[in-house]
């Protein structure tokens, strides 16, 4: 099974992906996480992506599609949660084509619908572990020991694109590019809208209910 989590920055895609890979046999393809790893490793891809990410802009489609192709080649036969990909109509069409070549398809697209005003608070308060990727929030889910991950003891940091001016640009990119992608999936009857403004447990239940139908 292949599912897509689509939603604005901070809508909970990463948080739910972690829940689903723990409880079900999914693997997660987070394009944002792959790009951040490439930046940390100082690869050519990382160098190219950094300027776009720091500015809150989307990394060009051809780069993203190549990353996804490589990931799918390395993970044949596995059930994938696509977290943060596709986020343009062109990426969505490429994904359909790449999956079709392996006689696969997207089964469901979950759209995490949420009021943008909540997102600024979620993102400015978010902290992430640089080692295992665990996601925290300084108010709603603080780590037990400040700056240290409860799960692996790694360093917990504030993401560099979680500054208010960059968040504003990321939200604009979401509206302009990912808005049409959501409509594209609505027209193919794959889209399931869920309320992303609740607690993580209630968001999980909404997705689980659809998957076990
Ligand atoms: P990313 O890394 O994909 P975004 O902007 O799409 O970044 P982000 O910020 O990672 O998405 P999220 O994963 O949706 O948000 O949210 P999250 O981390 O789970 O939760 C955010 C906060 O809210 C946390 O503190 C968490 O504890 C809290 N929270 C979560 N769920 C709930 C809930 O249910 N209830 C409550 N109360 N709180 C909750 O992409 C980064 C950049 O990479 C490039 C772009 O430059 C992009 O800006 N990129 C791409 N470019 C082009 N095409 C692509 N496909 C690209 N993918 C990445
Ligand atoms: Mg994320």
């Amino acid at each position: 099974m292949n599912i897509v989590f689509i939603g604005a920055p901070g809508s909970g895609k990463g948080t739910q992906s972690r829940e689903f890979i723990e409880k079900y046999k999914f693997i997660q393809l987070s394009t944002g996480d792959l790009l951040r790893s490439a930046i940390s490793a100082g690869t050519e891809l990382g160098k190219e992506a950094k300027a776009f990410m720091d500015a809150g802009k989307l990394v060009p489609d051809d780069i993203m599609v190549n990353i996804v192709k490589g990931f799918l080649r390395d993970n044949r036969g596995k059930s994938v949660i696509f977290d943060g990909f596709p986020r343009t109509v062109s990426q969505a069409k490429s994904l359909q084509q790449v999956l079709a070549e392996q006689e696969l398809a997207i089964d469901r697209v979950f759209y995490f619908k949420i009021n943008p005003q909540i997102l600024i608070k979620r993102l400015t308060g978010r902290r992430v572990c640089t080692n295992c990727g665990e996601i925290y929030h300084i108010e709603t889910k603080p780590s037990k020991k400040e700056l240290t991950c409860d799960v692996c003891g790694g360093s917990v940091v504030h993401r560099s694109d979680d500054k208010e001016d960059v968040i504003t640009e990321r939200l604009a990119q979401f509206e302009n590019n990912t808005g049409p992608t959501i409509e594209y999936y609505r027209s193919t009857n794959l889209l399931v809208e869920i309320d992303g403004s609740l607690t993580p447990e209630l968001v999980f239940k909404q997705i689980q209910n659809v998957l076990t139908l």
Side-chain angles (χ1 to χ4, degrees), residues 10 13-15 31 36 57 84 87 91 126 136 170 198:
K13 305 178 297 292
T15 300
T31 41
R36 280 183 288 278
K57 307 273 186 208
R87 55 179 103 191
Q91 289 179 12
R126 171 170 58 185
Y136 296 94
R170 287 162 64 201
L198 308 172

Side-chain angles (χ1 to χ4, degrees), residues 73-124:
R73 246 193 329 265
D74 295 343
N75 290 284
R76 271 178 201 272
K78 296 187 182 154
S79 291
V80 180
I81 297 177
F82 293 89
D83 162 8
F85 184 94
R87 55 179 103 191
T88 66
V89 173
S90 158
Q91 289 179 12
K93 290 183 176 166
S94 298
L95 178 60
Q96 191 182 351
Q97 206 180 332
V98 174
L99 288 174
E101 283 162 15
Q102 295 187 21
E103 296 183 358
L104 296 169
I106 294 294
D107 296 287
R108 284 274 194 277
V109 177
F110 291 94
Y111 168 31
F112 292 52
K113 209 171 173 190
I114 191 161
N115 181 332
Q117 274 146 10
I118 304 178
L119 298 173
I120 306 274
K121 212 168 167 213
R122 281 199 188 178
L123 291 173
T124 50

Side-chain angles (χ1 to χ4, degrees), residues 3 12 16 24 31 36 39 61 88-89 112 137-138 140 150 164 169 174 184 188 201 203:
I3 61 176
Q16 292 302 326
Y24 292 91
T31 41
R36 280 183 288 278
I39 292 173
D61 287 341
T88 66
V89 173
F112 292 52
H137 189 280
I138 49 170
T140 56
D150 299 348
E164 267 200 69
E169 179 57 29
F174 171 74
Y184 169 78
T188 59
E201 293 73 23
V203 175

